[in-house]
Amino acid sequence: MLQDNQQSYGLVTRVFHWGMAVLVFWQLLKFGDDIADGEHWVAKTLVPYHGSIGLVLMALVILRLLWVFTQRNVRRQQTSAGIMAKLGHYALYLLLVLVPLSAICLMLGRGFGLKAFGYQLVERGSTKSELLAALGSWHATLATLLAIMILGHIGFALWHHFVKRDGSMKKVW
């Protein structure tokens, strides 16, 4: 089943969730880039794609938000605890947009241009701007906040699964 229903999420939602989870985890490996001055396997093989994967994630989160909007009437109505979960998900979505957007501002604001998978999307030096650079300076802070929110998301999912045993994790498996 492609679409969501009241008992579970459909294939499209699950592919978005788990596919983005893998890509976000990949992105968070950047936090370890300073370890051993980047002289390790992660820094040499995964980190060079950090900006490109960030752009892919930004496109995916926009597509995912459009998908969520189409599924809103199909999903189960929320209780008061569900409303808190929904607010948490909104915060995750917001950060999933703001983190790559701030990176784009940083790259453009500092005049580095914008490149994805070897293709130059915006030329170097063409958009240097103190305002964009200032907005982009929030990138690391927002990424850290996103990492904390993700840990909370995982923690609550495990709590629901192992403590409450309410079957909520089965919806996304």
Side-chain angles (χ1 to χ4, degrees):
M1 174 179 337
L2 292 177
Q3 295 195 345
D4 299 351
N5 60 52
Q6 294 216 356
Q7 289 74 38
S8 67
Y9 294 117
L11 180 64
V12 174
T13 299
R14 286 182 277 134
V15 167
F16 270 131
H17 181 273
W18 293 110
M20 288 180 67
V22 168
L23 293 176
V24 168
F25 177 74
W26 178 336
Q27 291 296 82
L28 293 177
L29 292 174
K30 177 76 170 146
F31 282 122
D33 194 33
D34 290 336
I35 298 171
D37 294 323
E39 294 298 321
H40 49 79
W41 179 83
V42 171
K44 291 179 180 178
T45 57
L46 300 180
V47 171
Y49 295 100
H50 185 76
S52 299
I53 298 298
L55 290 173
V56 169
L57 275 167
M58 187 166 179
L60 286 174
V61 76
I62 291 167
L63 292 173
R64 185 174 180 179
L65 286 170
L66 291 171
W67 177 254
V68 166
F69 184 74
T70 68
Q71 301 300 296
R72 71 189 184 288
N73 294 327
V74 181
R75 295 179 178 180
R76 187 180 308 168
Q77 296 300 318
Q78 301 294 323
T79 62
S80 60
I83 291 170
M84 293 304 293
K86 187 177 270 193
L87 290 174
H89 283 100
Y90 287 156
L92 281 169
Y93 286 132
L94 179 63
L95 287 168
L96 285 167
V97 170
L98 291 179
V99 170
L101 192 58
S102 64
I104 291 168
C105 288
L106 186 64
M107 297 302 289
L108 296 178
R110 289 190 178 168
F112 297 133
L114 196 58
K115 197 173 189 178
F117 299 107
Y119 295 99
Q120 194 72 39
L121 305 175
V122 178
E123 291 301 318
R124 293 181 66 88
S126 64
T127 58
K128 195 166 185 174
S129 159
E130 288 184 33
L131 175 61
L132 286 176
L135 291 171
S137 70
W138 283 90
H139 180 67
T141 303
L142 292 169
T144 302
L145 185 57
L146 177 61
I148 292 167
M149 290 290 296
I150 289 168
L151 287 174
H153 178 70
I154 293 168
F156 278 116
L158 293 173
W159 180 71
H160 273 276
H161 187 71
F162 292 111
V163 177
K164 286 188 78 176
R165 297 183 187 270
D166 61 6
S168 62
M169 273 187 66
K170 292 178 183 176
K171 287 172 46 173
V172 79
W173 288 115

